Amino acid sequence: MITRKEYEWAQGRAADLMRTAGLRISEEEEKSIEVVDFGLGRLDEEGVQVLTLVQTQRISVKVLALFPHQTEPEHWHPPVANDPGKEETIRVIEGTVYFFVPGPDSLSRGFIPKGKESCYTVKHEIVMKPSDQITLEPGKKHWFQALDGGAVMFSFSTIARDALDKFTDPDIVRITRIAES
Amino acid sequence: MITRKEYEWAQGRAADLMRTAGLRISEEEEKSIEVVDFGLGRLDEEGVQVLTLVQTQRISVKVLALFPHQTEPEHWHPPVANDPGKEETIRVIEGTVYFFVPGPDSLSRGFIPKGKESCYTVKHEIVMKPSDQITLEPGKKHWFQALDGGAVMFSFSTIARDALDKFTDPDIVRITRIAES
């Protein structure tokens, strides 16, 4: 749960990060930025801001902004009906992204959010700079975070069905609830 | 046919346009920029420069650069086997793009390349600025051009099979031939 005021404040901060990264986005697009707190109510620690540029029945393009020290929790994209699951390429636009996938534990520069050790199981660390990119086949677990300065990246993928994504943390609710009062 | 020297010169010019538009691209990516003269041997009039960021069996992401007064010729993306054809979204990053699709003839600010009247049949003009985008369903004819200053745009699409694209101009050969001498 997040208040309307917090939501709009986060939208503006995310839009600033995107524009500072050199992206040209419209006023209307800024207002459409989705602030995702994963139902955890601690946006600054675990959350992400998402601007959807393209969403059709075949492809999806999003801009993701992470505030400094914000983490997108571990998740994966499961098969849906005849679709083998979302295939996604992340490309860094600005900042440094600490990206974690299955493989030998090399977590050293990033960090697991406090008290959440059981919710982050893949620990192979990849440090990504602007123009670096990684393609994730469907079903591959991943999480990522920014440290100082935050980060902005593209997500290029097959059709996104965010509400069906699977998370390691059982407390997560993917669709943000906003308190209007 | 284009000489190796012309090809590399055009790559550098396209990379400059992309970087001036705010894109962060690597040296390796610059060297991979495809200079497309459509086999017509008049790159400055009819051609496009293409940087492929993502190309999988499901999606494709490209950056397109047009030099001032350069035109990408009329074409469409046909069905291929079980695929209904490429679905493509063009989003302008920098500059103004004059985009032409089927509909009432409103061609006024753009122009058909000299002597090529028979090769440009759709004349509904859409003037696109940075952050404007258009989604083209498979099979829809389109062509586009830049005037002063050139332009840079994204192409987000389902899998691209460029060699199978269809062109109105019968003289076009999609894959560039380079003269090495």
Side-chain angles (χ1 to χ4, degrees):
Chain A
M1 188 79 93
I2 182 173
T3 67
R4 171 65 61 188
K5 193 173 164 183
E6 288 166 338
Y7 195 94
E8 291 177 356
W9 181 84
Q11 285 183 312
R13 191 179 178 199
D16 286 348
L17 276 172
M18 292 175 190
R19 293 203 173 99
T20 302
L23 293 175
R24 305 279 287 267
I25 62 173
S26 68
E27 292 294 312
E28 193 184 356
E29 286 174 331
E30 173 171 346
K31 287 189 182 67
S32 78
I33 292 173
E34 184 192 6
V35 176
V36 186
D37 76 346
F38 297 101
L40 301 174
R42 41 187 235 150
L43 180 69
D44 284 348
E45 286 83 35
E46 294 180 286
V48 66
Q49 292 64 233
V50 182
L51 169 57
T52 298
L53 300 183
V54 180
Q55 172 74 312
T56 74
Q57 287 303 306
R58 300 177 71 187
I59 68 166
S60 175
V61 178
K62 299 167 182 233
V63 179
L64 311 180
L66 285 178
F67 300 145
H69 303 270
Q70 193 182 37
T71 302
E72 164 140 352
E74 183 173 290
H75 66 287
W76 66 98
H77 309 291
V80 179
N82 291 330
D83 184 335
K86 188 172 92 163
E87 172 201 282
E88 181 177 32
T89 296
I90 298 286
R91 179 183 174 93
V92 178
I93 302 170
E94 187 72 69
T96 302
V97 176
Y98 299 83
F99 207 97
F100 297 88
V101 292
D105 182 345
S106 57
L107 192 158
S108 58
R109 282 174 280 191
F111 67 95
I112 290 175
K114 233 173 191 159
K116 289 303 193 76
E117 287 71 16
S118 65
C119 304
Y120 291 81
T121 66
V122 300
K123 298 176 187 172
H124 187 67
E125 183 180 83
I126 300 169
V127 179
M128 297 176 65
K129 301 277 186 184
S131 88
D132 288 346
Q133 56 185 52
I134 183 172
T135 297
L136 302 153
E137 56 267 35
K140 189 168 187 164
K141 285 186 184 172
H142 57 287
W143 58 282
F144 47 95
Q145 69 192 173
L147 298 183
D148 295 344
V152 181
M153 65 210 95
F154 279 117
S155 163
F156 305 122
S157 76
T158 56
I159 180 174
R161 298 181 179 93
D162 299 336
L164 301 179
D165 285 350
K166 298 286 190 187
F167 290 85
T168 307
D169 185 344
D171 293 336
I172 282 180
V173 178
R174 173 61 182 80
I175 304 304
T176 305
R177 286 168 55 215
I178 305 173
E180 294 295 349
S181 62
Chain B
M1 188 79 94
I2 182 172
T3 68
R4 171 66 59 187
K5 193 175 164 181
E6 290 167 336
Y7 195 95
E8 291 177 355
W9 182 85
Q11 284 182 313
R13 191 179 178 200
D16 286 348
L17 276 172
M18 293 175 190
R19 292 203 175 99
T20 301
L23 293 174
R24 305 278 287 267
I25 62 172
S26 67
E27 292 293 312
E28 193 184 355
E29 285 175 332
E30 172 171 346
K31 287 190 182 67
S32 77
I33 291 173
E34 185 192 7
V35 176
V36 185
D37 76 346
F38 297 101
L40 301 173
R42 43 186 234 150
L43 181 68
D44 284 348
E45 287 82 33
E46 293 179 287
V48 67
Q49 293 63 234
V50 182
L51 169 58
T52 297
L53 299 184
V54 180
Q55 172 74 312
T56 74
Q57 287 303 305
R58 301 177 71 188
I59 68 166
S60 175
V61 178
K62 299 168 182 236
V63 179
L64 311 180
L66 285 177
F67 300 146
H69 303 269
Q70 193 182 36
T71 302
E72 163 140 352
E74 183 173 291
H75 67 286
W76 65 97
H77 309 292
V80 179
N82 291 331
D83 184 336
K86 187 172 92 164
E87 172 201 284
E88 181 178 31
T89 296
I90 298 286
R91 180 183 175 94
V92 178
I93 303 171
E94 187 72 72
T96 302
V97 175
Y98 299 81
F99 207 97
F100 297 87
V101 292
D105 182 346
S106 57
L107 192 158
S108 59
R109 281 173 281 191
F111 67 95
I112 291 175
K114 234 173 190 158
K116 289 303 194 78
E117 288 71 16
S118 64
C119 304
Y120 291 81
T121 66
V122 299
K123 298 176 186 168
H124 188 67
E125 184 179 83
I126 301 170
V127 179
M128 295 175 66
K129 302 277 186 184
S131 87
D132 288 346
Q133 55 185 53
I134 183 172
T135 296
L136 302 153
E137 56 266 36
K140 190 167 187 163
K141 285 186 183 173
H142 57 285
W143 59 281
F144 48 95
Q145 69 191 172
L147 298 182
D148 296 342
V152 181
M153 64 209 94
F154 279 116
S155 163
F156 305 121
S157 75
T158 56
I159 180 173
R161 298 181 180 93
D162 299 336
L164 301 179
D165 284 350
K166 298 287 191 187
F167 291 85
T168 306
D169 185 344
D171 293 336
I172 282 180
V173 179
R174 173 60 182 81
I175 304 304
T176 305
R177 286 169 54 214
I178 305 173
E180 294 294 348
S181 62

